[in-house]
Amino acid sequence: MTDSAPEVIIMFALKQGAPERVAEFRWSTATGVVLNVFDTGWGEIARQYFEQGVPDDAEMRLIPRSDGRAFMKALATLDRGSYCSFVVEDS
């Protein structure tokens, strides 16, 4: 596995039968992880990850956003079931 991490991850929610962009996580070594929420209701899930960390089942811990690279890698592999998804959208 390489040491690179996604720089942009979009959270989509299944709303009215179609996926809709509800939040965006951006990461760089200069700014750290930044969260933009587009839908305050669904965005609460993204805000919780941003504030509390992303669960890492393998290590049985929460990865904080201050660990930007590991946070984004964990977020990219997070499975929230059928109602929302996290999609890497690096350019």
Side-chain angles (χ1 to χ4, degrees):
M1 178 178 259
T2 68
D3 199 30
S4 66
E7 294 177 3
V8 180
I9 296 177
I10 306 300
M11 179 184 165
F12 288 90
L14 189 59
K15 295 173 63 176
Q16 299 178 354
E20 187 175 315
R21 194 179 196 117
V22 295
E24 172 186 88
F25 293 85
R26 289 187 168 272
W27 172 74
S28 74
T29 54
T31 63
V33 178
V34 176
L35 172 65
N36 294 311
V37 175
F38 309 119
D39 179 299
T40 55
W42 279 97
E44 186 58 30
I45 296 167
R47 190 171 313 286
Q48 286 176 359
Y49 288 132
F50 185 73
E51 292 173 358
Q52 298 171 13
V54 177
D56 182 336
D57 293 336
E59 294 187 24
M60 296 181 64
R61 70 179 185 108
L62 292 174
I63 300 175
R65 72 176 183 266
S66 60
D67 191 352
R69 185 179 315 277
F71 178 91
M72 294 298 278
K73 285 181 176 182
L75 194 61
T77 61
L78 192 61
D79 181 11
R80 291 290 301 177
S82 61
Y83 62 90
C84 74
S85 60
F86 294 87
V87 178
V88 174
E89 281 204 353
D90 288 348
S91 49

